[in-house]
Amino acid sequence: MAQMESITGLDRKVRRHFKKVLSRLSDEFIVREPLLDESKIASIVLEGPCKSWLMIGWHEKWPNETELAKWRRFNSALLSKGYQPIKYLAVVEEDLKHKATSEEQADRFIHILDQKGFYIDGEKNIVDLLTESPLEQYNWVKKTIFPESAIHSQCTTRRSVSRVDNRASLQQFFLDYDQELATRFDMLEQVDSSEERQDDFSVRLINGVAGSGKTLILINRAIAFCKKHPDKKALLVIHNKPVTSDIKHRFEEWLGGAPSNLKIETFHQFALNQQKKVSNNCRLTPLFGDKAVEPLRAQILCDINESYTQLKLTDGQIWSELEYINEYLIKDENEYLEYERQGRGFALQKSQRVHIWKLYEMVVQAMSSPKGYLPSLYVKDLALLEDTTGLEKFDHILVDEAQFFAPSWLQLVKMSLISNGAIFLCADPNQGFLKSRLSWKSVGFNVRGRTKRLNYSYRTTYEIMVAANTLIEGIEDDADDFVKPDLEKMERGVKPQIIYSHTLQDEKTRFLNELSECCRSDDIPLQQIMVLCSGSYSPWSLKRDIENTLGKGTVVNCNDWKDIKDNIGGKIRLMSINSCTGMESGVTFVLGAGELMNQAKNIDLDDTERELAQQESLRKLYVAMTRAGQRLALFSTEKLPERVHEHVEVSGASLD
């Protein structure tokens, strides 16, 4: 059966009959409808075996020249490039009593077939009329009619790690059919189900494994939406700064710039802009990072506060609970005392919650002024607004790494949508380590029947994916949520390396030697290398160490907004593991894996809490490992789980 999406370009009265005919074709055929108006050469564009094509249209009467104009211009363009024209099958409703003119009879590239005949054995006519094309023509046709499926070669890791020139002029990449369907998900048809009409907006979810092309899908969908609807506004909202900078760099360097009706922002940029709009351009200073927060936090989490002394919890647990109140939009003390804290990892009695709320009131008082505002607090304030008229509204909002968005974040996204707008979510539930696992329904997104899964990873190799997946097997919270990768057709490569050291200093020295060897002996371009580090390292200090080894200007610290501004291309990318989601690179080094393994051991937790902390560490390491395209090296001062060792090459110090 042919691969087929909805055929909305045909009259409703014939769609079902056309689908019956097309379904009789083999699965080597792909039935598509052009998305953009300028690409609508025909109602149906059929791709067949051996890179063959056929245009198909339905007409009430013999097609006139106006109806065929786009097809004729397209074939003229093919001929001007020395390519073979593509035939057009016109299915006509009326009986063919029309007597063709001599000019029409001479046109061997158009074939007229009456509707009854097409319904009986149209698949035979289709096979006979296919036009095979060489690779160069195939690429041109697909990129011209379906530009939303094309990938610039510099925007993908689907190539060897080398200095070979793989620019688009030499090598063309396209989304696979599942990725293409995800990109076009419901963009061709008006959603008219009674269930959808009950909601004030539509939502679509793409669940995909690491490297399945979710970011490419978001970029291509954003471009396609903005081209198709130049009068509408779109927002691409992203979890972290490194990915945002990387996407903006792709647009500027290789994609001809972002559309004028598209905004690309981190969530916190977006939230700050919305705060500014509702407060009459009043600027506030967000308290980002420990340096800004710690002095104020220390005034609250201290022994002079009785509520603090009554809690037998770590400072980390208390602070995460205070943030939790904001992120889950808990309005008052009574609601908090009765709230089901599912997935929190540690229990709290009602008496303990009373003390937590008193500390929370201190946080609100100390950290909600324009001179210093806790981000989770002003996001909560925005998400609880009853009057949303002051917010900037968008027709279409696309969310990257949605599994890391807190309920308050998702609420603000919904509130920033016009009535009957659309939200498009991309997520990898296997990575869910930053926020407690939630159901989409619990945060107001009805994704049942509106979800597509992507199981195949293009980014990484079989060996890397198997090793990474071994880490998280058995710890998934919800089997329905877990996306198992399709390993059968994955590209083969070399096993990942684990290099053990006794001390962090030894680890860093070994890393710098390996990095230097990679750049000089293996001749790997700097832009194809990424370095990820755990909390044992400061990206700022590590950047100095790398530049002392390789030279000035060889690395960009993606955690430093000043460094990444207009400064990404042609350099090694360095960042913390916590900010690497959505990133990718041909060669990836991961430092401080031992620190991740030690986190659960170093905290005063009971057995259940320690197990949850260990699972979070394993997910972080999984994310870091799956950033790698072809080669991966892990550095650790602690032994990784034994089950991983059979899938990697182990070297360095003995830690037994």
Side-chain angles (χ1 to χ4, degrees), residues 312-314 317 341 344-349 352 599-615:
K312 305 303 180 185
L313 300 170
T314 66
Q317 288 174 317
R341 300 169 56 259
R344 287 295 291 142
F346 58 95
L348 286 177
Q349 300 298 322
Q352 292 175 298
Q599 281 181 350
K601 301 176 186 176
N602 295 336
I603 304 174
D604 184 16
L605 302 172
D606 63 30
D607 290 343
T608 301
E609 294 165 0
R610 184 170 288 105
E611 183 180 354
L612 289 172
Q614 183 69 14
Q615 290 180 6

PDB file of all heavy atoms in Angstrom, residues 312-314 317 341 344-349 352 599-615:
ATOM      1  N   LYS A 312      13.968  18.919  58.575  1.00  0.00           N
ATOM      2  CA  LYS A 312      15.114  18.015  58.495  1.00  0.00           C
ATOM      3  C   LYS A 312      15.358  17.645  57.024  1.00  0.00           C
ATOM      4  O   LYS A 312      15.319  16.487  56.619  1.00  0.00           O
ATOM      5  CB  LYS A 312      14.855  16.754  59.328  1.00  0.00           C
ATOM      6  CG  LYS A 312      14.489  17.040  60.766  1.00  0.00           C
ATOM      7  CD  LYS A 312      15.566  17.866  61.484  1.00  0.00           C
ATOM      8  CE  LYS A 312      15.174  18.145  62.943  1.00  0.00           C
ATOM      9  NZ  LYS A 312      16.155  19.036  63.600  1.00  0.00           N
ATOM     10  N   LEU A 313      15.596  18.670  56.243  1.00  0.00           N
ATOM     11  CA  LEU A 313      15.813  18.501  54.806  1.00  0.00           C
ATOM     12  C   LEU A 313      17.104  19.213  54.424  1.00  0.00           C
ATOM     13  O   LEU A 313      17.549  20.138  55.103  1.00  0.00           O
ATOM     14  CB  LEU A 313      14.655  19.098  54.000  1.00  0.00           C
ATOM     15  CG  LEU A 313      13.244  18.529  54.227  1.00  0.00           C
ATOM     16  CD1 LEU A 313      12.219  19.406  53.531  1.00  0.00           C
ATOM     17  CD2 LEU A 313      13.153  17.101  53.715  1.00  0.00           C
ATOM     18  N   THR A 314      17.684  18.796  53.302  1.00  0.00           N
ATOM     19  CA  THR A 314      18.852  19.511  52.796  1.00  0.00           C
ATOM     20  C   THR A 314      18.417  20.841  52.205  1.00  0.00           C
ATOM     21  O   THR A 314      17.250  21.031  51.832  1.00  0.00           O
ATOM     22  CB  THR A 314      19.574  18.697  51.714  1.00  0.00           C
ATOM     23  OG1 THR A 314      18.711  18.588  50.565  1.00  0.00           O
ATOM     24  CG2 THR A 314      19.935  17.302  52.211  1.00  0.00           C
ATOM     25  N   GLN A 317      16.899  20.288  48.821  1.00  0.00           N
ATOM     26  CA  GLN A 317      15.515  19.821  48.820  1.00  0.00           C
ATOM     27  C   GLN A 317      14.544  20.956  49.128  1.00  0.00           C
ATOM     28  O   GLN A 317      13.490  21.075  48.493  1.00  0.00           O
ATOM     29  CB  GLN A 317      15.356  18.702  49.850  1.00  0.00           C
ATOM     30  CG  GLN A 317      16.014  17.392  49.442  1.00  0.00           C
ATOM     31  CD  GLN A 317      15.960  16.369  50.559  1.00  0.00           C
ATOM     32  OE1 GLN A 317      16.193  16.691  51.723  1.00  0.00           O
ATOM     33  NE2 GLN A 317      15.679  15.129  50.209  1.00  0.00           N
ATOM     34  N   ARG A 341       1.993  15.802  45.689  1.00  0.00           N
ATOM     35  CA  ARG A 341       3.346  16.087  45.191  1.00  0.00           C
ATOM     36  C   ARG A 341       3.916  14.874  44.466  1.00  0.00           C
ATOM     37  O   ARG A 341       4.971  14.361  44.811  1.00  0.00           O
ATOM     38  CB  ARG A 341       4.244  16.502  46.353  1.00  0.00           C
ATOM     39  CG  ARG A 341       3.796  17.732  47.098  1.00  0.00           C
ATOM     40  CD  ARG A 341       4.543  17.945  48.388  1.00  0.00           C
ATOM     41  NE  ARG A 341       5.991  18.008  48.199  1.00  0.00           N
ATOM     42  CZ  ARG A 341       6.828  16.998  48.446  1.00  0.00           C
ATOM     43  NH1 ARG A 341       6.364  15.820  48.853  1.00  0.00           N
ATOM     44  NH2 ARG A 341       8.127  17.147  48.266  1.00  0.00           N
ATOM     45  N   ARG A 344       7.954  13.764  43.479  1.00  0.00           N
ATOM     46  CA  ARG A 344       8.906  14.685  44.095  1.00  0.00           C
ATOM     47  C   ARG A 344      10.122  13.972  44.668  1.00  0.00           C
ATOM     48  O   ARG A 344      11.160  14.586  44.862  1.00  0.00           O
ATOM     49  CB  ARG A 344       8.222  15.492  45.203  1.00  0.00           C
ATOM     50  CG  ARG A 344       7.270  16.538  44.725  1.00  0.00           C
ATOM     51  CD  ARG A 344       7.989  17.621  43.956  1.00  0.00           C
ATOM     52  NE  ARG A 344       8.831  18.429  44.828  1.00  0.00           N
ATOM     53  CZ  ARG A 344      10.017  18.897  44.493  1.00  0.00           C
ATOM     54  NH1 ARG A 344      10.543  18.604  43.314  1.00  0.00           N
ATOM     55  NH2 ARG A 344      10.715  19.651  45.325  1.00  0.00           N
ATOM     56  N   GLY A 345      10.006  12.692  45.007  1.00  0.00           N
ATOM     57  CA  GLY A 345      11.184  11.962  45.474  1.00  0.00           C
ATOM     58  C   GLY A 345      11.376  11.993  46.972  1.00  0.00           C
ATOM     59  O   GLY A 345      12.192  11.240  47.497  1.00  0.00           O
ATOM     60  N   PHE A 346      10.674  12.883  47.682  1.00  0.00           N
ATOM     61  CA  PHE A 346      10.737  12.875  49.148  1.00  0.00           C
ATOM     62  C   PHE A 346       9.387  13.348  49.683  1.00  0.00           C
ATOM     63  O   PHE A 346       8.738  14.223  49.115  1.00  0.00           O
ATOM     64  CB  PHE A 346      11.880  13.743  49.686  1.00  0.00           C
ATOM     65  CG  PHE A 346      11.838  15.189  49.262  1.00  0.00           C
ATOM     66  CD1 PHE A 346      11.246  16.157  50.069  1.00  0.00           C
ATOM     67  CD2 PHE A 346      12.397  15.587  48.047  1.00  0.00           C
ATOM     68  CE1 PHE A 346      11.215  17.490  49.684  1.00  0.00           C
ATOM     69  CE2 PHE A 346      12.372  16.914  47.659  1.00  0.00           C
ATOM     70  CZ  PHE A 346      11.775  17.867  48.479  1.00  0.00           C
ATOM     71  N   ALA A 347       8.974  12.735  50.787  1.00  0.00           N
ATOM     72  CA  ALA A 347       7.659  13.021  51.349  1.00  0.00           C
ATOM     73  C   ALA A 347       7.732  14.208  52.305  1.00  0.00           C
ATOM     74  O   ALA A 347       8.768  14.490  52.900  1.00  0.00           O
ATOM     75  CB  ALA A 347       7.139  11.791  52.090  1.00  0.00           C
ATOM     76  N   LEU A 348       6.591  14.905  52.445  1.00  0.00           N
ATOM     77  CA  LEU A 348       6.483  16.004  53.396  1.00  0.00           C
ATOM     78  C   LEU A 348       5.166  15.872  54.163  1.00  0.00           C
ATOM     79  O   LEU A 348       4.097  15.799  53.552  1.00  0.00           O
ATOM     80  CB  LEU A 348       6.508  17.357  52.686  1.00  0.00           C
ATOM     81  CG  LEU A 348       7.839  17.866  52.134  1.00  0.00           C
ATOM     82  CD1 LEU A 348       7.635  19.186  51.413  1.00  0.00           C
ATOM     83  CD2 LEU A 348       8.871  18.003  53.234  1.00  0.00           C
ATOM     84  N   GLN A 349       5.272  15.848  55.478  1.00  0.00           N
ATOM     85  CA  GLN A 349       4.068  15.865  56.309  1.00  0.00           C
ATOM     86  C   GLN A 349       3.441  17.260  56.260  1.00  0.00           C
ATOM     87  O   GLN A 349       4.092  18.248  55.892  1.00  0.00           O
ATOM     88  CB  GLN A 349       4.424  15.509  57.751  1.00  0.00           C
ATOM     89  CG  GLN A 349       5.061  14.134  57.917  1.00  0.00           C
ATOM     90  CD  GLN A 349       4.127  13.019  57.486  1.00  0.00           C
ATOM     91  OE1 GLN A 349       2.911  13.090  57.724  1.00  0.00           O
ATOM     92  NE2 GLN A 349       4.679  11.988  56.861  1.00  0.00           N
ATOM     93  N   GLN A 352       5.354  19.868  58.084  1.00  0.00           N
ATOM     94  CA  GLN A 352       6.534  20.327  57.346  1.00  0.00           C
ATOM     95  C   GLN A 352       6.142  21.306  56.236  1.00  0.00           C
ATOM     96  O   GLN A 352       6.858  22.277  55.973  1.00  0.00           O
ATOM     97  CB  GLN A 352       7.267  19.123  56.739  1.00  0.00           C
ATOM     98  CG  GLN A 352       7.929  18.206  57.752  1.00  0.00           C
ATOM     99  CD  GLN A 352       8.519  16.980  57.094  1.00  0.00           C
ATOM    100  OE1 GLN A 352       7.805  16.168  56.497  1.00  0.00           O
ATOM    101  NE2 GLN A 352       9.832  16.835  57.176  1.00  0.00           N
ATOM    102  N   GLN A 599      26.628  12.099  42.608  1.00  0.00           N
ATOM    103  CA  GLN A 599      25.644  13.021  43.167  1.00  0.00           C
ATOM    104  C   GLN A 599      24.689  12.327  44.136  1.00  0.00           C
ATOM    105  O   GLN A 599      24.418  12.829  45.226  1.00  0.00           O
ATOM    106  CB  GLN A 599      24.854  13.694  42.041  1.00  0.00           C
ATOM    107  CG  GLN A 599      25.606  14.838  41.384  1.00  0.00           C
ATOM    108  CD  GLN A 599      24.795  15.506  40.301  1.00  0.00           C
ATOM    109  OE1 GLN A 599      23.742  15.021  39.899  1.00  0.00           O
ATOM    110  NE2 GLN A 599      25.283  16.637  39.820  1.00  0.00           N
ATOM    111  N   ALA A 600      24.187  11.167  43.732  1.00  0.00           N
ATOM    112  CA  ALA A 600      23.232  10.461  44.589  1.00  0.00           C
ATOM    113  C   ALA A 600      23.890   9.961  45.872  1.00  0.00           C
ATOM    114  O   ALA A 600      23.249   9.874  46.918  1.00  0.00           O
ATOM    115  CB  ALA A 600      22.613   9.285  43.828  1.00  0.00           C
ATOM    116  N   LYS A 601      25.203   9.658  45.805  1.00  0.00           N
ATOM    117  CA  LYS A 601      25.907   9.152  46.986  1.00  0.00           C
ATOM    118  C   LYS A 601      26.186  10.260  47.990  1.00  0.00           C
ATOM    119  O   LYS A 601      26.270  10.025  49.188  1.00  0.00           O
ATOM    120  CB  LYS A 601      27.240   8.506  46.571  1.00  0.00           C
ATOM    121  CG  LYS A 601      27.102   7.347  45.594  1.00  0.00           C
ATOM    122  CD  LYS A 601      28.477   6.845  45.180  1.00  0.00           C
ATOM    123  CE  LYS A 601      28.383   5.786  44.101  1.00  0.00           C
ATOM    124  NZ  LYS A 601      29.723   5.359  43.637  1.00  0.00           N
ATOM    125  N   ASN A 602      26.353  11.469  47.499  1.00  0.00           N
ATOM    126  CA  ASN A 602      26.781  12.565  48.363  1.00  0.00           C
ATOM    127  C   ASN A 602      25.638  13.295  49.056  1.00  0.00           C
ATOM    128  O   ASN A 602      25.866  14.244  49.786  1.00  0.00           O
ATOM    129  CB  ASN A 602      27.586  13.580  47.551  1.00  0.00           C
ATOM    130  CG  ASN A 602      28.888  12.981  47.041  1.00  0.00           C
ATOM    131  OD1 ASN A 602      29.392  12.028  47.616  1.00  0.00           O
ATOM    132  ND2 ASN A 602      29.413  13.547  45.963  1.00  0.00           N
ATOM    133  N   ILE A 603      24.409  12.890  48.801  1.00  0.00           N
ATOM    134  CA  ILE A 603      23.252  13.574  49.388  1.00  0.00           C
ATOM    135  C   ILE A 603      22.635  12.694  50.473  1.00  0.00           C
ATOM    136  O   ILE A 603      22.586  11.472  50.342  1.00  0.00           O
ATOM    137  CB  ILE A 603      22.195  13.885  48.300  1.00  0.00           C
ATOM    138  CG1 ILE A 603      22.818  14.698  47.171  1.00  0.00           C
ATOM    139  CG2 ILE A 603      21.016  14.633  48.881  1.00  0.00           C
ATOM    140  CD1 ILE A 603      21.877  14.924  46.008  1.00  0.00           C
ATOM    141  N   ASP A 604      22.177  13.326  51.541  1.00  0.00           N
ATOM    142  CA  ASP A 604      21.548  12.604  52.647  1.00  0.00           C
ATOM    143  C   ASP A 604      20.123  12.242  52.250  1.00  0.00           C
ATOM    144  O   ASP A 604      19.179  13.013  52.462  1.00  0.00           O
ATOM    145  CB  ASP A 604      21.562  13.481  53.903  1.00  0.00           C
ATOM    146  CG  ASP A 604      21.010  12.729  55.110  1.00  0.00           C
ATOM    147  OD1 ASP A 604      20.923  11.492  55.043  1.00  0.00           O
ATOM    148  OD2 ASP A 604      20.648  13.396  56.103  1.00  0.00           O
ATOM    149  N   LEU A 605      19.968  11.075  51.648  1.00  0.00           N
ATOM    150  CA  LEU A 605      18.675  10.657  51.125  1.00  0.00           C
ATOM    151  C   LEU A 605      18.333   9.265  51.637  1.00  0.00           C
ATOM    152  O   LEU A 605      19.225   8.473  51.995  1.00  0.00           O
ATOM    153  CB  LEU A 605      18.703  10.612  49.591  1.00  0.00           C
ATOM    154  CG  LEU A 605      19.062  11.903  48.847  1.00  0.00           C
ATOM    155  CD1 LEU A 605      19.221  11.604  47.365  1.00  0.00           C
ATOM    156  CD2 LEU A 605      17.992  12.957  49.059  1.00  0.00           C
ATOM    157  N   ASP A 606      17.035   8.945  51.657  1.00  0.00           N
ATOM    158  CA  ASP A 606      16.674   7.560  51.934  1.00  0.00           C
ATOM    159  C   ASP A 606      16.819   6.757  50.643  1.00  0.00           C
ATOM    160  O   ASP A 606      17.163   7.306  49.585  1.00  0.00           O
ATOM    161  CB  ASP A 606      15.258   7.453  52.520  1.00  0.00           C
ATOM    162  CG  ASP A 606      14.169   7.939  51.558  1.00  0.00           C
ATOM    163  OD1 ASP A 606      14.355   7.835  50.336  1.00  0.00           O
ATOM    164  OD2 ASP A 606      13.120   8.426  52.045  1.00  0.00           O
ATOM    165  N   ASP A 607      16.572   5.467  50.702  1.00  0.00           N
ATOM    166  CA  ASP A 607      16.846   4.589  49.560  1.00  0.00           C
ATOM    167  C   ASP A 607      16.036   4.975  48.326  1.00  0.00           C
ATOM    168  O   ASP A 607      16.545   4.974  47.199  1.00  0.00           O
ATOM    169  CB  ASP A 607      16.552   3.128  49.938  1.00  0.00           C
ATOM    170  CG  ASP A 607      17.561   2.587  50.945  1.00  0.00           C
ATOM    171  OD1 ASP A 607      18.638   3.215  51.081  1.00  0.00           O
ATOM    172  OD2 ASP A 607      17.268   1.561  51.588  1.00  0.00           O
ATOM    173  N   THR A 608      14.752   5.307  48.536  1.00  0.00           N
ATOM    174  CA  THR A 608      13.902   5.671  47.398  1.00  0.00           C
ATOM    175  C   THR A 608      14.381   6.958  46.758  1.00  0.00           C
ATOM    176  O   THR A 608      14.472   7.074  45.519  1.00  0.00           O
ATOM    177  CB  THR A 608      12.438   5.836  47.852  1.00  0.00           C
ATOM    178  OG1 THR A 608      11.988   4.607  48.429  1.00  0.00           O
ATOM    179  CG2 THR A 608      11.547   6.211  46.672  1.00  0.00           C
ATOM    180  N   GLU A 609      14.702   7.954  47.582  1.00  0.00           N
ATOM    181  CA  GLU A 609      15.178   9.236  47.075  1.00  0.00           C
ATOM    182  C   GLU A 609      16.507   9.076  46.350  1.00  0.00           C
ATOM    183  O   GLU A 609      16.748   9.704  45.312  1.00  0.00           O
ATOM    184  CB  GLU A 609      15.321  10.227  48.234  1.00  0.00           C
ATOM    185  CG  GLU A 609      13.988  10.599  48.868  1.00  0.00           C
ATOM    186  CD  GLU A 609      14.163  11.270  50.229  1.00  0.00           C
ATOM    187  OE1 GLU A 609      15.319  11.434  50.672  1.00  0.00           O
ATOM    188  OE2 GLU A 609      13.141  11.616  50.835  1.00  0.00           O
ATOM    189  N   ARG A 610      17.374   8.208  46.894  1.00  0.00           N
ATOM    190  CA  ARG A 610      18.680   8.001  46.267  1.00  0.00           C
ATOM    191  C   ARG A 610      18.516   7.335  44.899  1.00  0.00           C
ATOM    192  O   ARG A 610      19.224   7.663  43.951  1.00  0.00           O
ATOM    193  CB  ARG A 610      19.570   7.142  47.176  1.00  0.00           C
ATOM    194  CG  ARG A 610      20.988   6.958  46.624  1.00  0.00           C
ATOM    195  CD  ARG A 610      21.916   6.328  47.635  1.00  0.00           C
ATOM    196  NE  ARG A 610      22.242   7.270  48.701  1.00  0.00           N
ATOM    197  CZ  ARG A 610      21.724   7.215  49.939  1.00  0.00           C
ATOM    198  NH1 ARG A 610      20.874   6.245  50.264  1.00  0.00           N
ATOM    199  NH2 ARG A 610      22.058   8.106  50.841  1.00  0.00           N
ATOM    200  N   GLU A 611      17.572   6.417  44.797  1.00  0.00           N
ATOM    201  CA  GLU A 611      17.326   5.757  43.510  1.00  0.00           C
ATOM    202  C   GLU A 611      16.841   6.761  42.467  1.00  0.00           C
ATOM    203  O   GLU A 611      17.279   6.735  41.308  1.00  0.00           O
ATOM    204  CB  GLU A 611      16.297   4.639  43.677  1.00  0.00           C
ATOM    205  CG  GLU A 611      16.041   3.869  42.384  1.00  0.00           C
ATOM    206  CD  GLU A 611      15.024   2.762  42.559  1.00  0.00           C
ATOM    207  OE1 GLU A 611      14.597   2.512  43.709  1.00  0.00           O
ATOM    208  OE2 GLU A 611      14.645   2.149  41.542  1.00  0.00           O
ATOM    209  N   LEU A 612      15.954   7.671  42.863  1.00  0.00           N
ATOM    210  CA  LEU A 612      15.468   8.693  41.946  1.00  0.00           C
ATOM    211  C   LEU A 612      16.593   9.632  41.513  1.00  0.00           C
ATOM    212  O   LEU A 612      16.682  10.027  40.342  1.00  0.00           O
ATOM    213  CB  LEU A 612      14.337   9.495  42.586  1.00  0.00           C
ATOM    214  CG  LEU A 612      12.997   8.763  42.759  1.00  0.00           C
ATOM    215  CD1 LEU A 612      12.032   9.608  43.587  1.00  0.00           C
ATOM    216  CD2 LEU A 612      12.383   8.432  41.408  1.00  0.00           C
ATOM    217  N   ALA A 613      17.463   9.990  42.467  1.00  0.00           N
ATOM    218  CA  ALA A 613      18.600  10.857  42.127  1.00  0.00           C
ATOM    219  C   ALA A 613      19.553  10.148  41.178  1.00  0.00           C
ATOM    220  O   ALA A 613      20.109  10.757  40.256  1.00  0.00           O
ATOM    221  CB  ALA A 613      19.334  11.268  43.401  1.00  0.00           C
ATOM    222  N   GLN A 614      19.731   8.837  41.375  1.00  0.00           N
ATOM    223  CA  GLN A 614      20.597   8.067  40.476  1.00  0.00           C
ATOM    224  C   GLN A 614      20.003   8.000  39.076  1.00  0.00           C
ATOM    225  O   GLN A 614      20.725   8.117  38.075  1.00  0.00           O
ATOM    226  CB  GLN A 614      20.786   6.647  41.037  1.00  0.00           C
ATOM    227  CG  GLN A 614      21.717   5.752  40.234  1.00  0.00           C
ATOM    228  CD  GLN A 614      23.163   6.195  40.295  1.00  0.00           C
ATOM    229  OE1 GLN A 614      23.522   7.025  41.136  1.00  0.00           O
ATOM    230  NE2 GLN A 614      23.995   5.686  39.412  1.00  0.00           N
ATOM    231  N   GLN A 615      18.691   7.834  38.997  1.00  0.00           N
ATOM    232  CA  GLN A 615      18.038   7.805  37.689  1.00  0.00           C
ATOM    233  C   GLN A 615      18.203   9.136  36.965  1.00  0.00           C
ATOM    234  O   GLN A 615      18.422   9.176  35.756  1.00  0.00           O
ATOM    235  CB  GLN A 615      16.555   7.460  37.857  1.00  0.00           C
ATOM    236  CG  GLN A 615      16.295   6.025  38.285  1.00  0.00           C
ATOM    237  CD  GLN A 615      14.825   5.726  38.440  1.00  0.00           C
ATOM    238  OE1 GLN A 615      13.980   6.564  38.127  1.00  0.00           O
ATOM    239  NE2 GLN A 615      14.504   4.546  38.930  1.00  0.00           N
TER     240      GLN A 615
END
